[in-house]
Amino acid sequence: MTGTERGTQPILTGDRVRLRPWRPDDAAVVLAACQDTDIQRWTQVPLPYAAEHAEGFVGGIAPQTWDEGGALFAVEPADGGPLIGSMGLFPPRDGVGEAGYWTAPEGRGQGFTAEGLRVLADWALDVVGVHRVELLVDPANAGSRRVAERAGFVAEGTIRQRFLFRGQPSDVVLYARLAGDPRPPTAR
Ligand SMILES: CC(C)(COP(=O)(O)OP(=O)(O)OC[C@H]1O[C@@H](n2cnc3c(N)ncnc32)[C@H](O)[C@@H]1OP(=O)(O)O)[C@@H](O)C(=O)NCCC(=O)NCCS
């Protein structure tokens, strides 16, 4: 389904976080967050990360992802604080969508990412209509693995040297949530 057929990208609301479409004026926050060493270590953001990357992300990649059947969201505390992270579903294929996320250092450690991922996966399974949401996580990324488990994802195994990460063949743990899996608890 294309963006035109899907209408406007929604706002997704959990108990403590809100996922909303990116806006052009978010670029400065994205630029600052993506200087973080953990985001640079564990995600595929361009290196070095420059203003043009942030502007292209919020103004180009995000609307294009919606047009292609996925959705990239800015994550904010539901009580109205400043945006703290990024949560996305890449365009699904064969009823399977892959999610990805990062949270800025000042937003970490409060359960926002785990709740945001649960909200995103619920929406992907219930509204977008995929039957499976996947996550590919570096085995050493303990924080992301815990976030995945908190959001109801099941570790299905390690895929060895399947992906090139910054030019290096890399292992990933494959996590997934299926439409029929038990729903994770909503509160932390
Ligand atoms: C990994 C990351 C998303 C965690 O975000 P966060 O907002 O701190 O996560 P939450 O607060 O929702 O924490 C959820 C759980 O993970 C645990 N956790 C978070 N970071 C952790 C870490 N570095 N090591 C171990 N556990 C961690 C929390 O303690 C919490 O566990 P609990 O529910 O049992 O108390 C964040 O550190 C980040 O953006 N890292 C860089 C980018 C990245 O790794 N993206 C994912 C790529 S697959």
Side-chain angles (χ1 to χ4, degrees):
M1 195 185 295
T2 67
T4 311
E5 292 159 331
R6 299 170 80 198
T8 307
Q9 185 174 336
I11 295 172
L12 310 180
T13 308
D15 292 336
R16 298 173 59 228
V17 295
R18 177 168 50 227
L19 277 55
R20 62 151 174 86
W22 288 100
R23 301 189 298 250
D25 65 355
D26 294 323
V29 179
V30 172
L31 175 62
C34 289
Q35 307 309 313
D36 173 65
T37 50
D38 285 337
I39 293 175
Q40 295 191 353
R41 177 177 181 194
W42 298 120
T43 76
Q44 306 219 47
V45 295
L47 293 180
Y49 197 87
E52 70 202 54
H53 298 124
E55 289 158 9
F57 179 72
V58 300
I61 294 172
Q64 182 183 343
T65 300
W66 178 254
D67 288 344
E68 293 176 353
L72 303 183
F73 294 94
V75 182
E76 299 174 328
D79 64 9
L83 91 83
I84 52 164
S86 174
M87 184 73 57
L89 178 77
F90 303 116
R93 285 185 58 190
D94 300 331
V96 178
E98 181 189 337
Y101 44 85
W102 52 254
T103 299
E106 59 272 20
R108 293 177 190 160
Q110 301 168 77
F112 289 145
T113 314
E115 186 188 331
L117 180 61
R118 178 181 60 73
V119 167
L120 179 82
D122 286 352
W123 175 74
L125 296 166
D126 296 344
V127 179
V128 178
V130 300
H131 62 265
R132 173 180 168 94
V133 182
E134 293 183 342
L135 291 172
L136 305 176
V137 184
D138 188 299
N141 191 346
S144 187
R145 296 184 66 166
R146 185 70 189 137
V147 164
E149 288 157 10
R150 273 282 178 190
F153 283 74
V154 174
E156 297 182 329
T158 302
I159 309 175
R160 297 178 304 156
Q161 297 194 1
R162 170 63 180 80
F163 298 96
L164 278 183
F165 183 72
R166 305 210 189 280
Q168 292 297 316
S170 299
D171 297 351
V172 294
V173 180
L174 177 62
Y175 281 87
R177 248 187 78 182
L178 306 185
D181 281 347
R183 297 288 158 126
T186 54
R188 194 180 188 197

